[in-house]
Amino acid sequence: MAETLGMNITQSKEPLPAGVTLPIYMDNHATTPLDPRVLEAMMPYLTGIFGNAASRNHSFGWEAERATDKAREQVAKIIGASAKEIIFTSGATESNNLAIKGIAEMYRERGNHIITQVTEHKAVLDTCKKLEKQGYRVTYLPVQADGLIDIEDLKRAMDDQTILVSIMYANNEIGVVQPIREIGKLCHEKGVLFHTDAVQAVGKIPVNVIDDNIDVLSLSGHKIYGPKGVGALYVRRRNPRVQIAEQINGGGHERGMRSGTLNVPGIVGLGAAVEICQNEMAAEAVREVELRDYLRAKLEAALDYTQVNGNMDHHLPGNLNISFIYVEGESLLMGINDIAVSSGSACTSATLEPSYVLKSLGLGDDVAHSSIRFGIGRFNTKEEVDYVADKIISVVQHLRELSPLYEMVKEGIDLTKIEWAAH
Ligand SMILES: *Cc1c(COP(=O)(O)O)cnc(C)c1O
């Protein structure tokens, strides 16, 4: 929406700094560009090696199966699983659906209660809502002002009907990393299965399904420089052996849990993408933390009334979510239309709704709307961060010059004491 509105804003005629081309992509939680090395790994499977991995009686099929076996190993390795525990899917939306619906269906005799939390991705929340309509009970845990759940809330929510806890590893808007190991430990003590949507965590921070006591885990290719439309679900095979009722029928692929001809090029790409992450994660996390902290320091040095959202001690490397108070969110986005970032608003139908994630931290609608999510990724440079920071600073300053509210605050007027005329 903002893009079209902002189209006719004239770009500055000043020459760009070296190493910067516009538009700048800094929205790497929404999706990531394909790493050229991943494309290279995929190419043969988009051309000559086109076999069906389920064809058991000729070399075309064997070659395709070999390729998907290798990818299964690669995906398993980055989360400390074994290859047999990996189910390929069309992405994390499907993985989350399969995990939650598949467990709900399979363990219905044991209980009908599921626990999740309010800042989950819609792929989890909408799935849980659907199950509520089918007679399941769902508890949506609140989060604290820093975005983390309180383990005590989780303990209190568990009862003898609880069959599943689904809590995301890291949040896609505010970047907070939940206390996954503690949650998993608690679940295992109580004999409750633990699923985590780890889309934003795998490949960015260390994830280990054994150490973290995870039973079922969702991940996605396109958030880690792999292709879109491919993902995986980890399903634990021992201690405990997790059973999942298939949600797509036909042919019994993927150990009967997910039928359908395998997306061989996509799966090869997913495997290549996770292997690159695994090799480069440690150094890349340091680099992204540096860029993020640099961006934050630069913004905070130049602008007052900013607020960082989400606990920064338990945080993804490349994420910064910051509110520019007394700035109108839509105007801010229009002013920076050569930079791709996300705002604290979600376009639902024709209206701009404040982000439910930011609202669940206790932010008012205005502050939520004035928030920007920066997603720094593998291909962002220091020069780009400088350009983005300078641009944001100048647009925020400009908008605040026009803002009567900001003017009043600067003059020391307490806005909470003002009686606004009704209109
Ligand atoms: C992107 C995302 C998803 C959805 O993944 P797709 O592969 O696009 O379906 C789910 N959960 C989180 C946290 C995400 O960031």
Side-chain angles (χ1 to χ4, degrees):
M1 187 185 283
E3 282 86 338
T4 44
L5 290 172
M7 213 97 102
N8 51 13
I9 289 186
T10 48
Q11 303 288 344
S12 102
K13 294 288 178 287
E14 283 177 28
L16 287 172
V20 174
T21 52
L22 297 179
I24 291 172
Y25 188 76
M26 205 172 276
D27 199 17
N28 287 283
H29 303 296
T31 192
T32 55
L34 194 71
D35 189 298
R37 293 168 290 180
V38 173
L39 177 63
E40 201 184 318
M42 291 170 69
M43 274 312 264
Y45 299 91
L46 290 160
T47 50
I49 313 177
F50 59 85
N52 184 331
S55 298
R56 287 281 147 73
N57 41 18
H58 51 67
S59 66
F60 292 85
W62 302 332
E63 267 193 283
E65 194 184 24
R66 231 187 341 264
T68 58
D69 283 348
K70 180 179 171 197
R72 224 181 275 284
E73 297 280 352
Q74 289 165 316
V75 172
K77 191 169 169 208
I78 201 170
I79 56 171
S82 75
K84 282 187 179 157
E85 298 174 307
I86 303 300
I87 306 294
F88 289 118
T89 66
S90 65
T93 298
E94 186 192 333
S95 296
N96 287 339
N97 271 267
L98 177 56
I100 297 169
K101 290 175 181 164
I103 286 170
E105 188 180 328
M106 193 58 97
Y107 294 84
R108 182 66 187 85
E109 302 283 277
R110 194 183 292 178
N112 73 338
H113 182 227
I114 296 167
I115 301 172
T116 184
Q117 58 92 27
V118 291
T119 67
E120 291 293 316
H121 191 273
K122 289 287 183 187
V124 167
L125 294 176
D126 289 350
T127 301
C128 287
K129 274 190 211 130
K130 177 90 183 263
L131 288 174
E132 280 186 287
K133 289 203 186 96
Q134 297 171 359
Y136 290 86
R137 235 174 355 110
V138 180
T139 301
Y140 300 88
L141 299 175
V143 292
Q144 305 169 94
D146 65 358
L148 295 177
I149 66 158
D150 183 342
I151 282 281
E152 294 304 317
D153 286 341
L154 176 58
K155 271 188 203 153
R156 273 191 293 272
M158 286 179 165
D159 62 35
D160 61 0
Q161 288 292 300
T162 310
I163 48 174
L164 173 67
V165 168
S166 180
I167 306 280
M168 71 199 319
Y169 212 114
N171 185 270
N172 45 300
E173 283 190 46
I174 52 176
V176 302
V177 178
Q178 298 288 354
I180 291 299
R181 196 160 295 186
E182 271 180 85
I183 296 168
K185 187 160 168 281
L186 183 62
C187 289
H188 278 188
E189 281 165 11
K190 305 267 182 186
V192 173
L193 294 178
F194 177 37
H195 164 252
T196 186
D197 173 347
V199 169
Q200 297 290 342
V202 169
K204 317 273 174 64
I205 56 176
V207 172
N208 184 292
V209 291
I210 305 299
D211 297 344
D212 292 345
N213 302 299
I214 295 165
D215 297 315
V216 189
L217 174 149
S218 305
L219 59 90
S220 176
H222 74 103
K223 306 291 176 84
I224 51 173
Y225 313 94
K228 292 172 179 60
V230 64
L233 186 67
Y234 155 77
V235 182
R236 185 186 276 268
R237 271 167 68 91
R238 25 198 310 237
N239 307 319
R241 182 182 179 88
V242 179
Q243 290 182 289
I244 297 218
E246 83 271 26
Q247 303 297 308
I248 297 179
N249 306 101
H253 308 73
E254 300 297 274
R255 292 170 42 226
M257 283 189 247
R258 201 277 190 180
S259 289
T261 301
L262 291 186
N263 169 7
V264 178
I267 289 166
V268 167
L270 175 62
V274 295
E275 186 171 323
I276 294 168
C277 285
Q278 179 144 29
N279 293 337
E280 301 181 356
M281 184 163 64
E284 179 58 15
V286 170
R287 194 187 77 89
E288 287 181 17
V289 165
E290 269 171 25
L291 287 179
R292 177 195 74 198
D293 291 348
Y294 174 71
L295 173 61
R296 176 182 175 180
K298 203 163 165 170
L299 294 171
E300 287 180 340
L303 300 168
D304 51 9
Y305 299 103
T306 62
Q307 169 187 313
V308 170
N309 301 308
N311 185 312
M312 292 306 283
D313 296 326
H314 302 276
H315 213 90
L316 289 174
N319 175 277
L320 179 66
N321 190 304
I322 185 162
S323 309
F324 301 95
I325 304 169
Y326 310 122
V327 165
E328 210 257 312
E330 226 174 318
S331 313
L332 176 56
L333 271 192
M334 278 192 267
I336 55 168
N337 67 343
D338 53 4
I339 301 167
V341 290
S342 273
S343 76
S345 314
C347 264
T348 43
S349 62
T351 58
L352 275 184
E353 290 288 323
S355 139
Y356 67 92
V357 172
L358 294 177
K359 288 205 73 171
S360 71
L361 307 183
L363 269 62
D365 288 9
D366 286 354
V367 178
H369 279 305
S370 76
S371 307
I372 298 283
R373 173 187 73 179
F374 300 94
I376 296 170
R378 181 179 290 166
F379 300 108
N380 288 124
T381 62
K382 174 111 185 294
E383 289 73 24
E384 288 179 328
V385 171
D386 270 316
Y387 181 91
V388 167
D390 291 342
K391 186 73 176 238
I392 297 261
I393 290 165
S394 82
V395 174
V396 169
Q397 282 172 342
H398 175 69
L399 291 173
R400 281 181 175 169
E401 274 164 28
L402 308 173
S403 159
L405 279 186
Y406 181 71
E407 198 65 16
M408 287 158 87
V409 172
K410 291 304 265 186
E411 284 165 15
I413 298 168
D414 184 349
L415 293 182
T416 61
K417 300 246 165 66
I418 294 179
E419 287 184 29
W420 303 97
H423 53 261

